[in-house]
Amino acid sequence: MSFVAGVIVILLYTQRMNINNPKNLDRILLLTTWVRIVEAGSLSAAAKQLNTTQPTVSRRLQSLEQIFKCKLMLRTTHQLKLTDEGDTCYQYAKQLLEQWSILEDTVVGNETSIIKGRLRVRAPHAFGQQQLIKPLMKYLTMYPEMRIDWLLNDTSPDFLADNIDCAIHVGVITNPNVVAKLIGYVPRIIVAAPEVINKHGDINHITELQQWPWIAVSTFYNHELTLKNTVLNTTCSLALDPILSTDNLYSALECVKGGLGIGAISSWLVKPYLLTGQLVHIAENWQADPLPVYFVYPYSNYYAKRLRLFIEIMTIGIQQMIGIDQNDDHIKM
């Protein structure tokens, strides 16, 4: 559907639904709620994502059904099933809301004060609880009418069911049905507390590290870790039996700092402790493969300006954090 056609559809709908009737709710709100119900899978989940109550969502659904004079879904104890009319309404509502976003962005132009709405963003714990707060605050300061749901977890998001607009992902992308925008790479180095090095002594060959106590970041490595020699351009795979495996990078870091074992940790995270001597970089010529960092979001014909601006600001913040030159030709943005 073209932009012009979308605007015509909006006009036809507002005329048909008698938008001047005070008893009628905002049509865009009703259609947004309907899309959320369908994609979230339940009224209660839709209410949570919309920051409202289930009775409110139910009333909006009833209003939409009254407008169209038909049932949009059949509710049972265990699931919601769309009627044929409900499925048609969902498909057209998605198109209509997309065209509405285009209309808003076109009319607003460069007026930053008019950028408003809500974004739901999933970020990894390691990045999201501290390092990305500064660019996040910058975005909200520049666009005070915006609202952000900042969700911290390390699992792959279900964009539709969880109503996630975008996610920051560290590591390999396994979902082929998303757009993945590469931001940069995070180097990983092997570090240990001084007392661990004093206890185990120097190493003559990299494979000797297999006998040291390891703290594994299970999201990226556990019982095997491949290292590359940055001088000789050779690789070596270590067979590990970690004394602790965790999917939380900060927990791994604290254990390594506490002298429990050694680990391959993101260089940006350990840099302050290397400077103070709390940690020591060992086997300096050997590194684990750097981890790619992506912005991930679902496919769409159009992305709202508020999302595009958010990705732009946060990308710069992430690149500064991991030490990426924003003019680096190796990073195709």
Side-chain angles (χ1 to χ4, degrees):
M1 182 183 293
S2 68
F3 173 78
V4 175
V7 174
I8 292 174
V9 169
I10 294 172
L11 295 175
L12 289 175
Y13 266 81
T14 54
Q15 180 180 7
R16 177 181 175 182
M17 297 176 186
N18 187 16
I19 199 169
N20 293 322
N21 187 339
K23 294 182 180 180
N24 288 336
L25 293 175
D26 183 297
R27 268 57 188 179
I28 297 298
L29 178 61
L30 291 182
L31 293 178
T32 300
T33 301
W34 173 240
V35 169
R36 277 292 90 232
I37 293 172
V38 175
E39 295 182 350
S42 70
L43 272 66
S44 58
K48 183 178 180 181
Q49 293 177 8
L50 293 169
N51 292 318
T52 187
T53 64
Q54 182 173 337
T56 298
V57 169
S58 181
R59 285 193 297 271
R60 292 177 187 173
L61 173 58
Q62 292 172 9
S63 296
L64 199 58
E65 290 178 330
Q66 289 172 4
I67 289 171
F68 289 116
K69 296 181 173 59
C70 65
K71 294 292 291 183
L72 298 177
M73 63 168 41
L74 303 175
R75 279 170 273 189
T76 66
T77 305
H78 302 290
Q79 64 179 358
L80 301 176
K81 181 179 180 180
L82 301 189
T83 64
D84 290 342
E85 293 82 1
D87 182 64
T88 299
C89 181
Y90 169 71
Q91 299 298 333
Y92 276 96
K94 287 278 288 185
Q95 296 180 42
L96 182 60
L97 293 174
E98 182 179 288
Q99 296 298 327
W100 184 259
S101 293
I102 296 174
L103 176 61
E104 281 187 319
D105 288 350
T106 303
V107 172
V108 168
N110 295 321
E111 292 292 332
T112 59
S113 61
I114 312 298
I115 300 297
K116 61 182 179 180
R118 181 177 296 274
L119 291 175
R120 286 173 59 84
V121 183
R122 196 229 68 182
H125 276 104
F127 282 175
Q129 66 185 25
Q130 184 177 5
Q131 279 71 24
L132 295 184
I133 296 302
K134 186 175 181 180
L136 177 64
M137 291 175 61
K138 178 180 179 180
Y139 176 82
L140 289 171
T141 300
M142 291 178 65
Y143 310 110
E145 296 298 314
M146 282 300 305
R147 300 294 180 265
I148 300 289
D149 293 336
W150 189 241
L151 311 172
L152 301 185
N153 64 71
D154 297 306
T155 60
S156 298
D158 186 329
F159 288 102
L160 292 182
D162 299 332
N163 190 25
I164 302 296
D165 293 289
C166 67
I168 300 164
H169 180 84
V170 179
V172 177
I173 300 295
T174 57
N175 185 355
N177 300 315
V178 297
V179 178
K181 178 182 178 181
L182 180 63
I183 300 173
Y185 292 92
V186 178
R188 291 182 293 165
I189 60 177
I190 305 172
V191 293
E195 58 265 33
V196 175
I197 298 175
N198 293 336
K199 179 179 179 181
H200 292 275
D202 297 328
I203 61 171
N204 296 314
H205 193 272
I206 190 64
T207 55
E208 295 177 24
L209 287 180
Q210 294 176 131
Q211 308 306 317
W212 290 39
W214 276 85
I215 308 299
V217 183
S218 57
T219 311
F220 307 117
Y221 72 96
N222 202 338
H223 296 291
E224 183 180 36
L225 179 64
T226 300
L227 301 176
K228 182 177 181 179
N229 190 301
T230 57
V231 176
L232 302 177
N233 199 30
T234 57
T235 60
C236 179
S237 293
L238 303 182
L240 307 180
D241 182 20
I243 61 174
L244 175 70
S245 296
T246 176
D247 62 356
N248 186 278
L249 189 57
Y250 276 110
S251 295
L253 174 63
E254 289 302 312
C255 290
V256 173
K257 284 169 54 184
L260 187 62
I262 65 176
I265 309 291
S266 301
S267 59
W268 67 268
L269 187 58
V270 300
K271 183 178 179 180
Y273 307 105
L274 294 174
L275 294 175
T276 61
Q278 288 179 270
L279 290 177
V280 177
H281 184 183
I282 59 178
E284 294 188 11
N285 292 335
W286 294 89
Q287 292 186 0
D289 288 337
L291 298 173
V293 183
Y294 296 93
F295 252 114
V296 184
Y297 40 89
Y299 283 101
S300 177
N301 292 326
Y302 181 79
Y303 298 101
K305 190 172 184 178
R306 58 180 175 271
L307 176 60
R308 288 183 276 122
L309 291 170
F310 177 81
I311 292 176
E312 179 182 316
I313 290 174
M314 296 302 293
T315 293
I316 294 174
I318 294 172
Q319 290 179 338
Q320 291 175 342
M321 180 192 70
I322 61 180
I324 294 294
D325 182 356
Q326 295 167 33
N327 297 316
D328 191 342
D329 292 336
H330 294 91
I331 306 301
K332 305 297 184 183
M333 299 307 296

